[in-house]
Structure formats: structure tokens, C-alpha cells
Amino acid sequence: MMSLNEKRQLIEALRKGVVTVTFSKVSPENAGEIRVMPCTLSQEVLKANGITNKLEVSQTERTHEGSDHLGVWATDVKNWRSFRFESIIGWEVLGE
């Protein structure tokens, strides 16, 4: 399980740019399947993808460490996706 500090670090990295998150899917039809997802919460990246709707952009501001899951913009499918913190196997900042 991720510590509060690790959650904060991941959320901060997502707000700054694109992060590749590797996690295990938990939905019954895909349980255990590994997903590698480039994703972000960066306002700059969202705007570059046409996300300017205040409701959608505000989703990134509601993201907080106290939740058990995280909603992000998946840059590969260009849509909102989510994952549970407990299912994360690893993550890395793209370009580093």
C-alpha cells in the first residue's frame, strides 16, 4: 500500500506532467491484468487536449491523497480513467 507521502509525490508529478503508471486492474472481468498507462493531471496537457470545460478541469482539483482511487487523463486513449492506489505496481515520470 502506498504511504500518504508516496501518494502526494505521485499527484504532484501528475500535476506537473505526464507519468507512466503501472497497475493491476481490479474490475471482475479484467482482474489481475496489468495496465501501463501514460497519464496526467497537468492543466497545460489537458488544455492541449481540448479539455477546457470547467467541470472536467475541476476534476483535477478534487484529487486528494485521502481517496482510495485517482482519476487521471490517460494520454494514450485521450479520456478520463482511474485506478486504485492499492493496485499501483510502480510509476515513473516520462522524460526523466
Side-chain angles (χ1 to χ4, degrees):
M1 178 173 274
M2 293 183 81
S3 71
L4 182 58
N5 189 47
E6 289 171 320
K7 289 179 184 182
R8 287 180 179 153
Q9 290 174 347
L10 173 56
I11 292 168
E12 181 63 26
L14 286 161
R15 287 182 175 154
K16 288 182 179 178
V18 180
V19 175
T20 298
V21 178
T22 303
F23 62 96
S24 176
K25 290 187 175 183
V26 295
S27 60
E29 65 275 7
N30 297 316
E33 184 179 317
I34 303 299
R35 167 91 154 99
V36 178
M37 180 172 62
C39 53
T40 190
L41 293 173
S42 164
Q43 298 294 319
E44 184 178 309
V45 176
L46 291 174
K47 287 178 185 174
N49 281 276
I51 306 300
T52 57
N53 178 298
K54 287 189 182 279
L55 183 59
E56 286 187 291
V57 171
S58 71
Q59 178 170 330
T60 66
E61 295 165 3
R62 290 194 308 266
T63 301
H64 59 87
E65 306 90 10
S67 179
D68 65 344
H69 67 280
L70 184 62
V72 295
W73 179 259
T75 60
D76 57 346
V77 295
K78 299 193 183 317
N79 210 335
W80 293 104
R81 295 288 188 259
S82 67
F83 51 83
R84 295 183 183 185
F85 283 110
E86 66 187 25
S87 70
I88 295 175
I89 297 166
W91 61 276
E92 66 179 331
V93 176
L94 286 181
E96 286 193 355

